[in-house]
Structure formats: structure tokens, C-alpha cells
Amino acid sequence: SMPNGESKNWTRLMITLESFYSLYGYWPTMIHLYSFFIDELKTMLSSEDFNTLQSKLELISDDENPFLALDKAGNYYDYRTGSHPIGETKLKAIDWLNIKEPDYYD
């Protein structure tokens, strides 16, 4: 089922990252996201965690192609066209990012 509620874009972000990892065996280096969601992350995460996130993942403001994860070689996973989920990866994006999950009220 498609995530909805306040945390839906956070959930989509995690699914996109974990799906990329389960496809390629490593994490993406950049991700396209809605501009409003990047602004929301700046608000929801501590400034330290937002900086940590950006040090691992380039956030590209793109309202046309949100939740598109890529690497420098051109490998990609597009949440909107991919299956959900590809499979449970034992590795969680939140652990790789090493940040605290934002506190949404769903």
C-alpha cells in the first residue's frame, strides 16, 4: 500500500534508498526530491542531521521527478516506476545515513 499521512515523503525517501541498495549493493550518491520536501527536511531534522544527510546524499530539487535516486555511473531507482518494495534489505537507510528519524505525527 502507498504510504500516506504526514510522514509519507519520509517513508518514500527510505524506500527509494533501500530499493536502490537492494538493486546495486551500495547506496546512491544523489536523490531528486520535491523542493518543499527538502525544505521540510531542513525543518524536521536537526541542523547537524541535515548536514550529515547532505554529506552522504546530494539533494536535488526536482518537482517533476521526485524520489529518483542515482549514482555517478548513471544507475538509478525511480520510486514512481519501481515495484514497492524490491525486497527487504537488512540494511536500513536510516542506519546508513546515521541520523535520527524525524518525529512525524501520523
Side-chain angles (χ1 to χ4, degrees):
S1 70
M2 294 291 281
N4 56 37
E6 201 184 320
S7 67
K8 66 178 176 292
N9 289 315
W10 173 261
T11 303
R12 288 170 186 158
L13 172 60
M14 296 297 107
I15 291 170
T16 303
L17 296 174
E18 289 164 12
S19 296
F20 185 100
Y21 187 93
S22 67
L23 270 177
Y24 302 108
Y26 55 88
W27 299 100
T29 55
M30 55 197 118
I31 189 162
H32 292 239
L33 296 171
Y34 293 118
S35 51
F36 78 83
F37 181 53
I38 295 174
D39 291 338
E40 183 181 296
L41 288 172
K42 284 180 196 162
T43 310
M44 296 296 293
L45 297 171
S46 68
S47 56
E48 187 185 355
D49 278 357
F50 186 76
N51 290 338
T52 299
L53 171 66
Q54 283 197 301
S55 74
K56 300 196 174 198
L57 199 57
E58 184 187 347
L59 306 179
I60 298 161
S61 177
D62 183 354
D63 292 338
E64 301 299 310
N65 304 288
F67 305 103
L68 170 64
L70 307 108
D71 67 9
K72 300 271 192 280
N75 296 308
Y76 71 92
Y77 175 80
D78 186 342
Y79 175 87
R80 294 160 316 144
T81 58
S83 56
H84 312 300
I86 284 180
E88 280 301 302
T89 169
K90 290 185 177 61
L91 287 156
K92 293 289 175 204
I94 192 81
D95 297 331
W96 166 62
L97 291 168
N98 194 26
I99 61 176
K100 187 177 176 293
E101 195 158 20
D103 196 7
Y104 285 100
Y105 299 99
D106 278 349

